[in-house]
Amino acid sequence: MGRRKLDPETKAEHYRRNKKISRKKYYGKTANLYARHPWTPEEEKMVMEHSIPDSELSAKIGRSIKGIQEKRRRLKHEMAEKQEA
């Protein structure tokens, strides 16, 4: 008895469903846990240093994991734009 082969369309469906479940499980831990508030320079510095895992940083600064990752992406983008100019 081997594994049954799935057609590519079904395989893609399974992949998307499992990815969604994993993402929800990981990000759901901190989503909507903290109130929105402006980013401070100290928080931005900690996000860019990336010296501790995002899950620990989330609890430390009161931000969601997704929010931390998005802020890091935006800060990197801003830095790249400044270097180009």
Side-chain angles (χ1 to χ4, degrees):
M1 291 205 181
R3 294 175 72 171
R4 70 173 203 238
K5 294 204 177 210
L6 300 174
D7 62 277
E9 205 171 294
T10 306
K11 201 172 188 179
E13 258 180 58
H14 283 261
Y15 174 78
R16 282 192 297 274
R17 186 187 76 233
N18 289 336
K19 187 174 180 180
K20 185 177 181 180
I21 290 168
S22 296
R23 186 181 297 133
K24 199 173 194 179
K25 185 177 179 182
Y26 180 71
Y27 293 123
K29 292 177 184 177
T30 59
N32 303 317
L33 187 61
Y34 305 106
R36 289 179 169 236
H37 56 280
W39 284 86
T40 64
E42 294 82 24
E43 289 174 335
E44 290 179 351
K45 183 179 175 188
M46 292 170 76
V47 166
M48 291 307 291
E49 286 175 354
H50 207 185
S51 58
I52 60 175
D54 290 344
S55 55
E56 290 178 28
L57 183 59
S58 172
K60 191 172 184 175
I61 66 174
R63 302 279 182 176
S64 70
I65 295 170
K66 186 70 173 170
I68 290 169
Q69 293 173 344
E70 184 63 23
K71 185 64 172 181
R72 185 178 298 122
R73 185 191 67 76
R74 287 180 182 174
L75 290 171
K76 283 181 181 180
H77 183 73
E78 288 173 12
M79 288 171 41
E81 283 182 342
K82 286 179 184 177
Q83 288 178 352
E84 289 176 3

